[in-house]
Amino acid sequence: MRLDDLPESGNIEDRRQEGGGGFGGMPGGRGGLGIGTVVVLGLVGWALGIDPRLLIGGAELISGGGYQNETQAPPRNRPTGAPQDESGRFVARILGSTEVEWKDIFAKDGKTYRTPTLVIYRGTTDAHCGTAQSAMGPFYCPVDEKIYLDTSFFSEIQSRFKGCDVGSRSCNFAQAYVIAHEVGHHVQKLLGVLPRVQQQQQASQSKAAANHLQVQVELQADCFAGVWANHSEQQWKLLEPGDVEAALRTAAAIGDDTLQRQAQGRVVPDSFTHGSSEQRQRWFNAGFKGGTVGSCNTFAATQL
């Protein structure tokens, strides 16, 4: 993946020096994260016997807000900027490229794109959606419109997910896919998708129906990541051989069927919350090839 020409975003909160422990600890107090209509995949993972570190977007909350613990003081905002270390600059460049592309896509449709903030941290940090913990994986909090990422998750893509060959340049694109997926959830909030799905989940008559809606949300975010890749390739020619394949390998490795089969030896489709490996790959490709928001309507698809 060619990074040199990508713009660096200044919308980064770097909390890594605050510390909180490394990757691998079992999630502790969640500061108001609740299961209810909010899908917290870190908790779902433990219930299914799946390590939540394996769930990309492990604590993604599809609500429009109101899930902060009322007894807990609001998290304090930190200064934003562009980090200067290699890992931080990588994150800033990927976020910067998403800002350019989504601003352009929104503008062409007569809309204004409001940029999210990306928080990089180590171990644990506070969030309006509760306590962010590395074991949950990256997630988007719609309450404060921030993406939370412990960058040690990137090593998991190589060592645990096998999304790319360790040390290869294609690993960068697999990591970029992770960020673009979370930005995709921010796009969903701005388009009104997340509040609408929350209402539908509240009205659903079964857990399976609510899960199906969550799968549609996640697959659309995968598709939006593909849209970003399409537009970024046209503007910066950033892709190198093996890059897309690495993103697809990562998408396959974190499919619900793959994770459940590894964890418990069987697959329970009604409990899916992110989609199967095949679905995740297919919808990323749909966005990458189609290049438009319209190519990502998972809610109108006759077959996911």
Side-chain angles (χ1 to χ4, degrees):
M1 182 180 184
R2 303 179 186 92
L3 298 168
D4 291 344
D5 293 335
L6 299 186
E8 293 188 26
S9 172
N11 295 315
I12 306 286
E13 281 187 26
D14 190 349
R15 304 183 189 177
R16 289 173 293 178
Q17 297 306 312
E18 296 178 13
F23 214 118
M26 181 173 177
R30 284 183 158 66
L33 292 178
I35 282 198
T37 59
V38 182
V39 179
V40 184
L41 294 176
L43 290 174
V44 174
W46 289 114
L48 294 175
I50 301 172
D51 186 336
R53 284 175 293 180
L54 297 177
L55 301 176
I56 187 171
E60 282 159 2
L61 312 180
I62 67 170
S63 87
Y67 287 93
Q68 182 185 337
N69 190 331
E70 294 181 0
T71 64
Q72 190 178 39
R76 61 184 175 88
N77 288 321
R78 281 77 157 183
T80 57
Q84 297 305 305
D85 63 295
E86 183 178 358
S87 177
R89 291 191 68 190
F90 170 78
V91 172
R93 282 171 170 160
I94 302 306
L95 185 64
S97 68
T98 67
E99 292 171 349
V100 170
E101 301 306 345
W102 283 112
K103 282 181 180 178
D104 183 61
I105 292 169
F106 270 55
K108 288 178 179 177
D109 197 32
K111 298 182 175 70
T112 300
Y113 179 72
R114 185 171 61 249
T115 58
T117 297
L118 195 152
V119 177
I120 48 178
Y121 69 97
R122 288 195 179 101
T124 63
T125 193
D126 51 22
H128 275 279
C129 291
T131 301
Q133 303 190 49
S134 59
M136 292 170 161
F139 69 92
Y140 171 67
C141 175
V143 184
D144 56 15
E145 297 189 350
K146 293 181 179 181
I147 295 163
Y148 291 82
L149 170 68
D150 185 326
T151 53
S152 64
F153 183 80
F154 289 157
S155 65
E156 296 284 293
I157 292 175
Q158 302 177 48
S159 61
R160 187 183 292 268
F161 297 154
K162 310 299 182 185
C164 58
D165 297 327
V166 176
S168 71
R169 288 169 63 93
S170 62
C171 287
N172 284 337
F173 191 70
Q175 295 162 6
Y177 155 69
V178 171
I179 296 172
H181 172 96
E182 301 306 332
V183 172
H185 285 307
H186 179 65
V187 172
Q188 289 174 316
K189 178 185 176 180
L190 299 184
L191 294 177
V193 173
L194 298 189
R196 184 176 68 249
V197 170
Q198 180 198 7
Q199 293 176 352
Q200 292 173 340
Q201 283 196 314
Q202 289 173 335
S204 64
Q205 300 299 311
S206 70
K207 182 63 176 176
N211 285 346
H212 182 74
L213 287 165
Q214 179 67 14
V215 168
Q216 290 173 307
V217 167
E218 297 301 333
L219 294 179
Q220 187 178 63
D222 281 335
C223 189
F224 284 165
V227 171
W228 160 79
N230 172 293
H231 286 254
S232 295
E233 171 63 7
Q234 290 184 49
Q235 182 158 355
W236 294 295
K237 302 299 180 186
L238 52 76
L239 293 177
E240 296 180 300
D243 283 351
V244 174
E245 290 76 8
L248 292 175
R249 280 172 59 183
T250 302
I254 55 181
D256 286 325
D257 54 338
T258 299
L259 295 177
Q260 289 186 2
R261 193 175 291 110
Q262 292 173 348
Q264 59 195 25
R266 61 191 179 91
V267 174
V268 185
D270 282 350
S271 68
F272 284 4
T273 52
H274 274 59
S276 69
S277 297
E278 185 275 332
Q279 288 171 325
R280 301 201 70 165
Q281 290 181 312
R282 178 158 45 84
W283 280 103
F284 174 85
N285 261 329
F288 183 60
K289 293 177 180 178
T292 67
V293 170
S295 60
C296 296
N297 193 349
T298 56
F299 299 92
T302 56
Q303 181 180 2
L304 287 179

